[in-house]
Amino acid sequence: MRPFTYERAADAASAVKSAAGTPNAKFIAGGTNLLDLMKLEIEHPAHLIDVGRLPLADIEETPEGGLRIGAMATNSHVAADARVRARYPVLTQAIVSGGSGQLRNKATTGGNLLQRTRCAYFYDTTKPCNKRAPGSGCGALEGLNRNSAIFGASHACIATHPSDMAVALTALGATVETLSPSGRARAFPILELHRLPGETPDVETHLIPGELITAVVVPPPPTGGQVYRKVRDRASYAGGLVSVAVAGGNLALGAVAHKPWRATDAEAALKAGASPAEAIGRELEAASENGRNGFKIDLISRLVPAAIAEAREQGRGA
Amino acid sequence: MKTTITVNGQARALDLDPRTTLLDALREHLRLTGSKKGCDHGQCGACTVLVNGVRINSCLSLAVMHDGDKVTTIEGVGTVDKLAPIQTAFLAEDAFQCGYCTPGQICSALGMLAEVADNWPSQETADLTGRIKLTDDELRERMSGNICRCSAYPQIVAAIRSVAGEVA
């Protein structure tokens, strides 16, 4: 690990000011992803601002009938919250399918959204990676790309976003709340948080430098069942090969793109009366493969109709 | 950086390079070598300790982030003369071979049983609104963050199960 200075933020306002005013500063909360990457010297911040103890860990009801989940709420606490379990089971299912108990106890809501790809070329500092070393090339394009993106990739990067939680939040139509260094608070749909790789895969979000995620707000639960299904190489404690979150008529896919992938074409087809198989087929018209990740297309075409059927069954039972 | 951490009930004042992980602070600075460094990347669970009663990977946390926290390591769970029930259970069930993962397994099991007592769900939990029943599938899933290279898993499950009755 390279040397850095450390401060514990007194409040959110001073945290964002410090982040904007210090070169190469980063927030740390749980640190489970950041410290891993710092040990490998993939991340090398000069200054860490510890926001983990800011009073942003509460989960509270919104006037609209949704929930505001503080950015510092741990994954375990969100998954275990009685309101989340009763009204947003897809969110609990997604969270508990990710990482291990130890990691979920440490990882926060904000940090989970900002975790970085598990692409093997991003992690291997001896290999080219435009995300880690812009301009060096993409080793995955013609390499070991079994777990690479099938939607929205570019010639510069075919990495995927690893979060399960974010897939459920995307299906639920969540809103992200932030505080910027100027003191301005803003809120925007979670779909506008992450970027597609394009020519600059090193720039992963639309956050401005020093901007801090303060909360995630889920709207009132949609009508219909909710299901999270994840396929992976091991039964537990493994990243997804593909995953799907169904929340009423909303669909989001995981481990298939540089961001949680809202399957809007499939949603529109379902709304127009298409069968689940036809609907996901419509979405997959935009999919592309790189040699070893083509199986994801088949997997998605089977997994999604099964998940939709399960959600509809649930919806009927409710 | 000045950091005070209460370890196994004792306040310990440390002056640390901010890069020091909680695991290295425990092992190298406080000479509590029960917590083990396996992968040092949060994948094996050998470094698992309880922080304010909650299990975490001590290798993926900076010691300076734990100023004021209460940490329990295997040395605080029991001693050679006074083993905790779960330690006795690991002996009785032969739940280890080389023993390297054992401190992490035991700390993780204690944290896991507290999570079950608090009714936290896992991916094996079919009914999210009901009371958790600690089946073997639940137990295995909840312990998946602890790897045993000797593959003593059946005995580890048996050892944890033998003390689980009291809390789950």
Side-chain angles (χ1 to χ4, degrees), chain A residues 2 12-13 22 52 96 126 163 217 239 243 247 251 257 262 273 276 293 305:
Chain A
R2 297 194 202 166
T22 318
V96 296
T126 67
S163 172
V217 178
S243 70
L251 293 174
R262 182 83 181 252
N293 56 350

Side-chain angles (χ1 to χ4, degrees), chain A residues 46-107:
Chain A
H47 184 63
L48 285 183
I49 302 159
D50 188 347
V51 293
R53 295 193 190 187
L54 295 183
L56 297 170
D58 290 344
I59 303 173
E60 56 195 29
E61 298 280 352
T62 64
E64 295 76 29
L67 289 177
R68 172 176 285 101
I69 301 166
M72 304 311 152
T74 65
N75 288 179
S76 291
H77 278 120
V78 177
D81 185 274
R83 296 159 295 181
V84 174
R85 287 154 83 163
R87 284 149 56 189
Y88 306 96
V90 67
L91 181 54
T92 290
Q93 288 171 7
I95 291 173
V96 296
S97 78
S100 64
Q102 289 98 314
L103 290 174
R104 294 192 294 271
N105 285 346
K106 197 91 189 329

Side-chain angles (χ1 to χ4, degrees), chain A residues 102 105-106, chain B residues 22 47-49 51 54-58 61 66:
Chain A
Q102 289 98 314
N105 285 346
K106 197 91 189 329
Chain B
L22 176 59
C47 68
T48 304
V49 300
V51 174
V54 173
R55 58 177 172 159
I56 67 162
N57 300 114
S58 63
S61 208
H66 293 285

Side-chain angles (χ1 to χ4, degrees), chain A residues 36 39 85 106 232 236-237, chain B residues 41-42 59 61 123 141 144:
Chain A
D36 184 25
K39 288 181 183 194
R85 287 154 83 163
K106 197 91 189 329
R232 53 192 148 174
S236 182
Y237 198 12
Chain B
H41 287 277
C59 76
S61 208
Q123 65 167 5
E141 161 58 25
S144 73

